[in-house]
Amino acid sequence: MTGLSEPFQATSYNPSPPTAKEQADVELLLAVMDSNVDPDVALAVLRRNWGDVDKAATALLEGDTGVAPPPYGTFPPSLGQDDRNTIVGPRTPPPSKPERDSPPGVIDLTGDDDKDLSQALKASLEDHGTTFGPSNRAPDPNWAMVSSNAAIGPANEQAADVHNDDMRRAIERVRQGDCPVTLRPTQASRVCAALITHGLFFVPQVRYWISLYRPLPPQIDESEDEPIEILPPQEGIAYVVWSLVETFVNMDLARTTELNVDRALDAFDATLWSGAGEQPGDVAYHFYNKLAWAVETAMLEDLDRDKDTRLFHFRYGLSDTDAPTGPLDKRSDMSVVKVAVRGTPDANDLLSCLSLELSPIGDTGHHQVIFQPSEVVAFQLVRDGMLPSGSNHERRTFAFPNHVYLDQFLQENAKLASDKRRLQRELYAQVDELKERRRHLNWNEGRNVLNDLRSSIHYYENIAEHNDDETRKAHLQDMATKLQAILVRVEREIRILDDQIAKAQISAASVYDCPELQKHRYDLRVVLVHDGLYGRSHLYSYVKQRDKWWKIVDYSTLEVSEETVLHDPIGLHLNAGPFFLIYSRAIPEESLRPDWPENVKNSVKHNNALFFSSLPPEVANDIEDPNSPPTSPMAYAVEDPELEGEPMDLSN
C-alpha cells in the first residue's frame, strides 16, 4: 500500500488534522483508488461521508472532491466499533441463511456473488501488500494508551475525542424504535428503483401478501420416505418475489439503520436512471410495472387466495363494453395511471386531472371505467405539458389528497357518476361565466376600473383647484360624490360575484361527496419527489408508517408532518416535484400483520446478534430488540441443515 510520508496537516479542505483511525482509513482509500487521488481530498470525502469508508470510496469513484459540505438535513450513518484489525464493508442485507464463516462484526468485502468483482477487490488489497492486523507503523507517542488516572494532555484529549466519536457513530448506527430502515444502492443510477422497493414495504397490503409467499415445492415422490427440502429459488419470477421477501423481512426486523439493496435490485433487473435528460417518473413507471407484474403473477400462481382479489392491477375498459374475463392481461389490466399535470387553475390537483384521463369531457358514452379495482393503485405525475412560468402564469404546487375515493370511476357507478360529472361541468361553466362578469366590471380596455375610480375621486377631492370659487368647489364635490357612489356600487357587485363564485366552486368540488360514491377509499402511502436535478440526493421519498410520515433522503430519515408531505414546494420552477404516488385501500395497518418465513426471521435475528456483538459494550448493553420475533416451529425447509430442528432463538 502506498503510505503517507508524514501525518496530514490542516488545509482548506480539512481544517483539523486526521485522527489515527482516519489516517488508516485514508490509506485504505488510497490503495483502493491506486493512489490516483490526493490524500487531502480522500480525507475530506471520508469526513463528508461521516467516516464510512465504503461510501467514501463510492463518492470518490463518482467524482466527489469533498469540497461541498454534507447535504443539509442528512444524518451521519452509523459506524461500528473502532476495530483496527477489521475492515467494515457494505452493509448488505443478510442472505436467506445466517453466515457462519465470518467472525462477529466482520463483513467480508470479497464475498460478493460477482466473481470478477470479488477478484478485483482481492487484487486491490493484495497488490499493495496490505494486511489487516496490528499496525507495523512506528509507535506514535501521541496515541499511547494511558491509565484513567493519568494527567490528561493534548494527545489524550484527542484519543478521548476519537473514542467519543466512535461511541456516537455506534449509537447512530442502531435503529431507534420504529424509525424506518433505509435501502441504499451502491450506484446512484439505481436510486429510483431503490425508493420504489423501499416504498412498497410501507403499503400494508403489499407487505402482508409478500409475507405469505412461499415458493412451490417440487413434485413429491410418495415412494420416498425422506422429506422433500424446499430451497430458496435462484431464478425466474419466484426468485424476484423471494428477494422481495428477504428485503422486507430485513426492513421489518433488522436493527441497523441502513441496508445495501444491490442484491435485491440485481434480482429485480432494476431500471436505471440514466441521466439528467431522463425523467425519474418514467424510470419509476417502468420499474414499478415490471415488479408489480412479477409479484401479481406469483401471487396468483402460488397463493391460496381469492383469485378475484387483485393486489396491483385493476381491470379497466370502455364504459359501454363488457368487462374482459380471464387472468392478467396487459391490454386490460393496469397498475400505474399516468396523470398529465397541466398546471392550469382548473386542473392542478389529482382528482381533476384523473377525471380528464379516465373520463374525458363530453357525453359520448365512451369513457374509461374500472371494472375491477385493485388493493393498490399508483399514479405517475407527468409534467410534459406544463405551461411555462411567466408573468401571466403563477405556478402552484400540484395538489394531491391524503385519501381519494375511486367510486366515481367504477363501472357499477357509471350512470350516477355521469350525472354528477354533468352537474360538475355545469357548475364549472357557471363559475367561468361569473368570473367573466367580474372581469368586465373590474377591467375596461386593459385598465383597472376600480383603480381608475379611486384615482379620479382622489383628484376631485384633493388635487383639483377651485380658487375659492364656490360654484367650482360644489361641482368638484358633486363629481367626487357621484364617482364614490359608482365605486361603492361596483365594489358591491364584485363582492356578490366573488361570493357566488366561491359557492359554485365549493359545490363543484363536493359534487361527488355522497355515500354512494364513498365506499372505496384509498389512503396515501408513498410519495416520490424530484427536485429537478440529477444525482442520488436529488430524489427522495415520503413514507407513512403507523400514522407517522418519514422523509427518506439517501441513507437519512426524518419525521415530518403530513402538511410537509402534501405541500412540498421543491422543484416547482424546474418542472419537477412529486412524480409518483402510491395509494392503497384504507385499512388499519395492524389488521394485516405479516407472517414472515421462519427461516428468514431466524437469519435476521442471527445477523442482529452479529451486529450487536460488533458494537462497543456500552452501546450493546443498552439495546432493546423489540422486533425480535418469538420463534415458532419451522414451517419451511431451508438450505442449511443446521437450521433444522430447534430454531435459533437470539431474543435474549
Side-chain angles (χ1 to χ4, degrees):
M1 177 185 293
T2 302
L4 303 176
S5 57
E6 58 185 24
F8 286 99
Q9 302 299 317
T11 67
S12 59
Y13 268 70
N14 305 294
S16 62
T19 64
K21 182 178 184 303
E22 287 178 331
Q23 189 159 329
D25 289 343
V26 168
E27 291 183 3
L28 174 60
L29 288 171
L30 294 178
V32 173
M33 300 297 293
D34 201 21
S35 299
N36 290 325
V37 64
D38 185 271
D40 280 330
V41 173
L43 177 59
V45 173
L46 180 68
R47 287 176 171 176
R48 174 177 166 81
N49 288 275
W50 307 100
D52 190 307
V53 178
D54 175 50
K55 290 190 180 67
T58 301
L60 288 170
L61 290 171
E62 293 178 350
D64 191 349
T65 61
V67 177
Y72 177 77
T74 59
F75 302 98
S78 32
L79 299 175
Q81 186 179 7
D82 181 12
D83 184 354
R84 292 170 174 77
N85 298 328
T86 65
I87 174 172
V88 178
R91 291 186 288 281
T92 306
S96 59
K97 63 175 183 177
E99 296 291 347
R100 300 182 182 276
D101 298 331
S102 300
V106 180
I107 301 177
D108 186 6
L109 262 178
T110 62
D112 197 281
D113 292 337
D114 189 325
K115 294 183 179 179
D116 293 335
L117 177 59
S118 177
Q119 292 174 359
L121 287 169
K122 288 181 178 178
S124 71
L125 303 178
E126 296 171 356
D127 289 350
H128 299 279
T130 304
T131 58
F132 295 95
S135 173
N136 55 12
R137 189 185 297 116
D140 186 343
N142 290 329
W143 296 103
M145 295 182 64
V146 297
S147 59
S148 61
N149 59 355
I152 298 180
N156 293 333
E157 289 180 355
Q158 194 171 13
D161 289 342
V162 172
H163 175 73
N164 292 336
D165 242 12
D166 289 343
M167 287 290 292
R168 174 181 58 81
R169 290 169 177 168
I171 293 172
E172 289 167 350
R173 187 181 179 189
V174 179
R175 181 183 181 186
Q176 303 297 323
D178 291 333
C179 180
V181 173
T182 61
L183 298 181
R184 190 176 195 269
T186 302
Q187 295 176 277
S189 59
R190 295 171 121 186
V191 63
C192 192
L195 287 176
I196 289 286
T197 304
H198 183 267
L200 286 175
F201 173 81
F202 297 95
V203 181
Q205 293 88 339
V206 176
R207 187 170 62 241
Y208 174 71
W209 285 110
I210 288 295
S211 77
L212 300 183
Y213 178 74
R214 308 291 186 272
L216 290 175
Q219 293 295 325
I220 298 177
D221 185 352
E222 296 182 358
S223 63
E224 295 288 341
D225 295 332
E226 295 295 326
I228 299 297
E229 186 175 20
I230 305 174
L231 302 179
Q234 299 297 320
E235 59 183 13
I237 288 179
Y239 177 50
V240 172
V241 181
W242 185 253
S243 298
L244 199 58
V245 172
E246 290 185 311
T247 303
F248 281 9
V249 178
N250 277 277
M251 289 182 66
D252 194 13
L253 307 180
R255 297 313 301 164
T256 185
T257 58
E258 173 198 343
L259 297 169
N260 184 285
V261 74
D262 287 345
R263 181 177 174 183
L265 295 182
D266 287 340
F268 305 154
D269 187 23
T271 309
L272 302 182
W273 185 24
S274 59
E278 184 175 23
Q279 292 297 330
D282 295 333
V283 179
Y285 176 85
H286 291 295
F287 178 69
Y288 183 93
N289 264 326
K290 180 165 55 178
L291 191 57
W293 190 265
V295 171
E296 192 91 71
T297 301
M299 297 293 102
L300 289 173
E301 290 178 353
D302 299 348
L303 282 183
D304 182 18
R305 68 168 188 174
D306 183 359
K307 301 302 182 183
D308 290 333
T309 301
R310 289 166 167 265
L311 185 58
F312 290 106
H313 295 84
F314 62 87
R315 179 148 288 183
Y316 72 101
L318 292 176
S319 58
D320 58 347
T321 61
D322 294 329
T325 58
L328 286 175
D329 188 336
K330 291 185 178 181
R331 295 169 299 180
S332 56
D333 294 320
M334 180 185 294
S335 62
V336 184
V337 180
K338 287 196 173 188
V339 178
V341 178
R342 295 168 175 82
T344 57
D346 61 334
N348 198 42
D349 66 278
L350 180 63
L351 282 177
S352 296
C353 292
L354 192 58
S355 295
L356 294 175
E357 296 293 331
L358 293 181
S359 304
I361 296 176
D363 296 321
T364 62
H366 299 283
H367 58 273
Q368 301 281 5
V369 296
I370 297 175
F371 292 116
Q372 189 176 354
S374 53
E375 295 296 305
V376 183
V377 62
F379 302 100
Q380 180 196 353
L381 307 182
V382 183
R383 291 179 170 81
D384 295 341
M386 284 279 288
L387 296 175
S389 296
S391 57
N392 295 327
H393 176 66
E394 179 185 359
R395 286 201 171 184
R396 297 183 178 181
T397 55
F398 183 80
F400 50 91
N402 59 359
H403 63 264
V404 296
Y405 292 97
L406 297 184
D407 302 74
Q408 60 174 296
F409 306 110
L410 300 183
Q411 184 200 33
E412 62 197 63
N413 300 320
K415 185 179 184 311
L416 175 60
S418 179
D419 294 340
K420 295 286 187 179
R421 197 169 296 115
R422 186 181 301 108
L423 173 60
Q424 188 179 59
R425 288 201 299 271
E426 292 172 356
L427 288 168
Y428 280 134
Q430 180 182 340
V431 168
D432 291 340
E433 181 183 345
L434 292 170
K435 286 182 176 179
E436 185 64 17
R437 287 173 54 189
R438 187 190 192 284
R439 189 184 70 80
H440 280 298
L441 274 175
N442 198 28
W443 291 90
N444 182 42
E445 296 182 355
R447 296 186 61 85
N448 188 298
V449 174
L450 294 180
N451 287 343
D452 286 349
L453 283 170
R454 293 186 184 106
S455 297
S456 298
I457 293 169
H458 178 76
Y459 170 78
Y460 284 116
E461 289 181 341
N462 302 289
I463 299 176
E465 297 179 357
H466 50 74
N467 298 323
D468 295 328
D469 184 337
E470 292 300 325
T471 302
R472 177 168 173 75
K473 185 176 181 181
H475 171 72
L476 294 176
Q477 184 62 44
D478 183 58
M479 290 296 296
T481 302
K482 289 179 180 178
L483 290 175
Q484 186 69 44
I486 294 173
L487 176 62
V488 170
R489 203 160 52 242
V490 172
E491 287 179 332
R492 184 174 64 249
E493 286 293 325
I494 289 178
R495 284 197 301 271
I496 292 173
L497 288 173
D498 285 342
D499 185 57
Q500 291 175 340
I501 290 170
K503 288 180 179 178
Q505 287 176 328
I506 292 173
S507 297
S510 60
V511 73
Y512 297 103
D513 293 349
C514 61
E516 298 87 348
L517 297 179
Q518 291 186 336
K519 296 178 181 178
H520 294 79
R521 172 177 157 173
Y522 287 72
D523 288 344
L524 182 65
R525 308 291 185 182
V526 181
V527 180
L528 267 58
V529 186
H530 179 214
D531 68 7
L533 304 177
Y534 177 73
R536 184 191 297 275
S537 61
H538 297 292
L539 292 184
Y540 58 89
S541 65
Y542 293 109
V543 297
K544 189 175 186 180
Q545 176 177 253
R546 298 184 180 90
D547 296 324
K548 293 181 180 179
W549 280 100
W550 297 86
K551 183 178 182 179
I552 311 297
V553 186
D554 199 10
Y555 50 78
S556 70
T557 60
L558 178 68
E559 186 177 348
V560 297
S561 67
E562 186 176 88
E563 179 76 11
T564 298
V565 177
L566 299 180
H567 300 97
D568 188 342
I570 196 75
L572 183 61
H573 298 289
L574 292 176
N575 209 27
F579 65 89
F580 205 84
L581 313 174
I582 302 178
Y583 288 80
S584 75
R585 283 190 188 274
I587 57 168
E589 286 190 53
E590 295 74 16
S591 65
L592 292 179
R593 293 186 178 276
D595 181 21
W596 304 120
E598 198 66 37
N599 62 308
V600 186
K601 288 199 298 185
N602 282 335
S603 173
V604 177
K605 291 167 65 177
H606 176 89
N607 284 280
N608 280 343
L610 292 180
F611 168 59
F612 296 153
S613 70
S614 72
L615 299 173
E618 306 96 304
V619 176
N621 291 339
D622 292 336
I623 294 176
E624 293 184 4
D625 188 2
N627 287 331
S628 182
T631 304
S632 56
M634 299 283 286
Y636 183 77
V638 294
E639 185 176 356
D640 192 341
E642 294 183 30
L643 291 178
E644 297 180 2
E646 183 66 25
M648 183 187 308
D649 188 358
L650 302 174
S651 57
N652 294 325

